[in-house]
Amino acid sequence: NAGVTQTPKFQVLKTGQSMTLQCAQDMNHNSMYWYRQDPGMGLRLIYYSASEGTTDKGEVPNGYNVSRLNKREFSLRLESAAPSQTSVYFCASSSMSSTDTQYFGPGTRLTVL
Amino acid sequence: GENVEQHPSTLSVQEGDSAVIKCTYSDSASNYFPWYKQELGKGPQLIIDIRSNVGEKKDQRIAVTLNKTAKHFSLHITETQPEDSAVYFCAASMGTNAGKSTFGDGTTLTVKP
């Protein structure tokens, strides 16, 4: 039981490049989330998926797209990376809703030059 | 939307002392208040949570109190140990919407041996 896994752990991009961050959970959870964490600013929700086949915008969705590929996997795509997207990205999952315990992955540290 | 303020941003205590971190929230509809601990290079991990129908909850050296009238909740750590050193985040959620979790900006706790 690996919990929530994320790939890659580290990534460096040039401005304008695209990439996809991968996330998978093996806990049969319905809800999945993508957050970004910037120094001194806590965790901010980018997108979430309440169940397979649905996605919704969070607090800071601009510049990102997501795909809930199946119940296990939830990916985050940067179509044209910008330096402002330099951050640590965390994926999380919960059984049903945000009032259930959220389990976080180890994070992806992204630098955009 | 919900706004969560967390204080202090940094806290340094001597081993064996108590530590208290406070959060306030703005939306009276919030009904779930988790606390997460984040160690260096890792994702946040739930350490304790409280729901709006409860005023206090304890788990060994950790306790959380909730004052719904004043819209604030606090984390109390007694008999602190060096391994308690980490960043602690509070959050507020509403059960009616899976994505609506708002996090505080975090408190860096340092326990000096």
Side-chain angles (χ1 to χ4, degrees):
Chain A
N1 189 338
V4 179
T5 57
Q6 292 182 237
T7 55
K9 289 191 184 332
F10 301 94
Q11 184 71 49
V12 179
L13 293 177
K14 294 181 179 179
T15 297
Q17 287 185 318
S18 62
M19 79 160 296
T20 300
L21 282 65
Q22 306 286 355
C23 173
Q25 52 89 10
D26 62 1
M27 295 173 282
N28 200 36
H29 285 169
N30 289 297
S31 300
M32 297 186 73
Y33 314 83
W34 276 107
Y35 293 92
R36 60 178 288 173
Q37 184 177 37
D38 300 301
M41 296 187 71
L43 291 151
R44 292 184 292 169
L45 184 66
I46 305 171
Y47 270 94
Y48 66 97
S49 171
S51 61
E52 185 178 355
T54 69
T55 60
D56 283 289
K57 295 178 181 180
E59 182 185 354
V60 288
N62 291 344
Y64 305 95
N65 285 301
V66 291
S67 296
R68 184 73 182 268
L69 304 170
N70 48 54
K71 192 171 185 178
R72 288 187 64 247
E73 298 173 289
F74 188 37
S75 63
L76 178 72
R77 182 161 179 83
L78 287 69
E79 290 291 351
S80 179
S84 60
Q85 294 178 305
T86 294
S87 188
V88 181
Y89 292 85
F90 287 101
C91 177
S93 70
S94 67
S95 179
M96 288 296 292
S97 76
S98 60
T99 57
D100 297 315
T101 299
Q102 291 193 28
Y103 295 84
F104 285 81
T108 295
R109 185 174 294 275
L110 175 66
T111 301
V112 183
L113 302 175
Chain B
E2 175 68 280
N3 182 48
V4 176
E5 294 190 358
Q6 183 172 344
H7 299 281
S9 56
T10 61
L11 180 60
S12 181
V13 300
Q14 210 65 37
E15 183 178 359
D17 287 349
S18 295
V20 180
I21 303 170
K22 299 181 179 180
C23 287
T24 60
Y25 62 99
S26 61
D27 195 328
S28 57
S30 290
N31 59 3
Y32 176 64
F33 307 93
W35 285 90
Y36 292 87
K37 176 182 181 182
Q38 184 178 26
E39 297 176 341
L40 198 61
K42 297 184 178 180
Q45 184 174 18
L46 180 80
I47 55 171
I48 195 167
D49 57 12
I50 193 166
R51 299 187 187 271
S52 59
N53 59 347
V54 176
E56 183 177 3
K57 184 176 179 181
K58 288 184 179 179
D59 183 4
Q60 299 183 0
R61 297 185 297 108
I62 294 172
V64 57
T65 58
L66 171 65
N67 184 326
K68 286 182 61 181
T69 303
K71 296 199 197 74
H72 68 71
F73 56 111
S74 301
L75 177 71
H76 305 254
I77 305 174
T78 59
E79 300 172 19
T80 54
Q81 301 167 2
E83 51 266 37
D84 293 329
S85 296
V87 180
Y88 291 81
F89 292 97
C90 64
S93 300
M94 286 176 274
T96 55
N97 191 321
K100 294 301 181 183
S101 290
T102 303
F103 285 77
D105 288 344
T107 296
T108 300
L109 173 64
T110 303
V111 180
K112 299 177 182 177

